[in-house]
Amino acid sequence: MYWDQPTETMPREKLAALQLARLKETLARAARAPFYRDRGIADYSVTSLSDLAKLPVTTKQDLRDAYPYGMVSIPLEKVVRLHSSSGTTGTPTVVYHSTHDIDAWTELVARCMFMAGVRNTDIFQNMTGYGLFTGGFGFLYGAERLGCLNIPTGPGNTKRQLKFMKDFKTSVIHAIPSYALYLADTLETMGIDPRKEFPDLRIIFLGAEPHSEETRKKIEDFFGVSAFNSYGLSEMNGPGVAFECPNRAGMHIWEDAFLIEIVDPVSLQPVAPGELGELVITTLNREAMPIIRYRTKDLTAAIVERCSCGRTHTRIKRITGRSDDMLILKGVNIFPVQIEQVLIGIAGVRRNYQILLETRGNNDHMIVRVEIDPNLFTDELKALENLRKRIAHELRDEILITPEVELCKPGSIPVAEGKAVRVIDKRVL
Ligand code: AMP
Ligand code: ZN
């Protein structure tokens, strides 16, 4: 079952022809934005998709430098919206949309949700922020186009969230993974079994943050649902860029709207098919703010095999992290998601955690703070010590460094309203 069968199952040659035509349009449009005009984009011409590699890349810093209006390629009276990325430091990166862009975005999100099995009979509760963040509006648009009943609760207010889920018989939810985990912790503390409390709940969309396969399984088992991975970034509208189909083995990235490359982050040369690299995306269907070869910093790999669902659009693997999220400690590269993957598998460990990096003397230290079940604090000290050691040991097996582990009471590690802040780096450089 497809939302837009001709596009989703388009033969690759036809898709490539569409991409080339749209790439040419994109370049012509981009040339009207002050930023790309200054870059001399009008001097580049493309006659085949392989010419893409000759075009300059665009970075987040470029978007910052072009703040506030340098990237806009149509008259401002035709721009109807701006959104901004969730980074909290420095000049924001801003993305603009025309009516056409909002409509194209809506179609993409509707396509994703339909692919996962959402229908107009569904009650959809969206637990992500409405505002500059794109997760709220993006999913609202998609779900409205499908004809779902929308409950735009946004994040937080967990008690009301749970009440609405029960009273309105919510069948589909969208949440940032760290919030879904927090919801699970809260239900556990309240002694509520979600399978009994929310018998109609069947699908959870998890997006906006890296999360491991283990986390997905834990959420699925706990709630008794299917969880789908949703990838997007505000520079590419927000949600609706890549999404899992019912096979849930990689995310289809919509190539009628996005032209993708996976490159070595240092040399910017394409990696071999199936190899891990940085995802670089060119918009193909955006009017107000075309972006050429945007370096997402997100690390992934293309899945070379065609998917049995019949969709011809390439799949990408779960994002392991952003190249700029990677911690380097004592020369070892570590992604926070590796730590989460270990913690989620240990009984008695709750789902909220924090990674603290500190310098003591000349050495860097990692302290992993984890919340544990409250009843464990009544156990003998020895049992607690054993748990602490076990966590440190299992982490060592994964990240090759033995961190200090601090066991904390539930609720003692702060929970962010939006994306979780997992790493606090207090190292002295
Ligand atoms: P923002 O523009 O604020 O929405 O942030 C976009 C960034 O969030 C992406 O570039 C990724 O680093 C991250 N992100 C979004 N969705 C996912 C996902 N499903 N898995 C991993 N990281 C994600
Ligand atoms: Zn598929």
Side-chain angles (χ1 to χ4, degrees), residues 185-212:
D185 271 353
T186 308
L187 284 164
E188 217 164 65
T189 306
M190 294 164 86
I192 296 174
D193 175 358
R195 291 167 178 258
K196 294 208 181 96
E197 187 86 346
F198 317 117
D200 300 282
L201 188 65
R202 57 192 190 88
I203 295 177
I204 297 189
F205 297 130
L206 297 173
E209 276 177 351
H211 56 291
S212 61

Side-chain angles (χ1 to χ4, degrees), residues 41 45 89 107 112 129 143 152 253 298 318 340 367 385 396 416 418:
I41 209 77
S45 73
T89 50
E107 272 298 302
C112 294
I253 183 156
D298 292 325
R318 186 175 282 284
E340 175 181 309
I367 301 116
E385 185 51 24
R396 204 215 109 84

Side-chain angles (χ1 to χ4, degrees), residues 305-325:
E305 300 81 42
R306 195 61 67 76
C307 188
S308 65
C309 74
R311 291 175 183 85
T312 50
H313 298 239
T314 302
R315 283 171 298 161
I316 55 169
K317 288 198 178 145
R318 186 175 282 284
I319 310 276
T320 43
R322 299 173 53 78
S323 54
D324 49 9
D325 268 358

Side-chain angles (χ1 to χ4, degrees), residues 197-326:
E197 187 86 346
F198 317 117
D200 300 282
L201 188 65
R202 57 192 190 88
I203 295 177
I204 297 189
F205 297 130
L206 297 173
E209 276 177 351
H211 56 291
S212 61
E213 196 58 44
E214 285 76 4
T215 299
R216 181 230 291 272
K217 290 213 183 77
K218 196 95 181 180
I219 291 174
E220 288 190 329
D221 290 347
F222 186 76
F223 287 97
V225 297
S226 297
F228 290 77
N229 193 359
S230 155
Y231 169 75
L233 59 163
S234 47
E235 293 86 340
M236 300 293 142
N237 305 333
V241 177
F243 213 88
E244 285 176 328
C245 70
N247 287 334
R248 291 186 297 148
M251 300 178 282
H252 287 283
I253 183 156
W254 299 123
E255 294 180 273
D256 55 314
F258 305 105
L259 185 52
I260 65 156
E261 300 164 82
I262 298 181
V263 303
D264 179 301
V266 179
S267 69
L268 297 188
Q269 292 303 308
V271 297
E275 294 286 305
L276 191 73
E278 178 180 339
L279 183 63
V280 172
I281 310 181
T282 301
T283 62
L284 290 177
N285 192 17
R286 240 194 5 221
E287 225 173 45
M289 182 174 164
I291 311 185
I292 295 160
R293 304 191 75 204
Y294 183 64
R295 292 193 57 184
T296 65
K297 300 271 180 155
D298 292 325
L299 300 173
T300 186
I303 297 173
V304 188
E305 300 81 42
R306 195 61 67 76
C307 188
S308 65
C309 74
R311 291 175 183 85
T312 50
H313 298 239
T314 302
R315 283 171 298 161
I316 55 169
K317 288 198 178 145
R318 186 175 282 284
I319 310 276
T320 43
R322 299 173 53 78
S323 54
D324 49 9
D325 268 358
M326 192 176 74

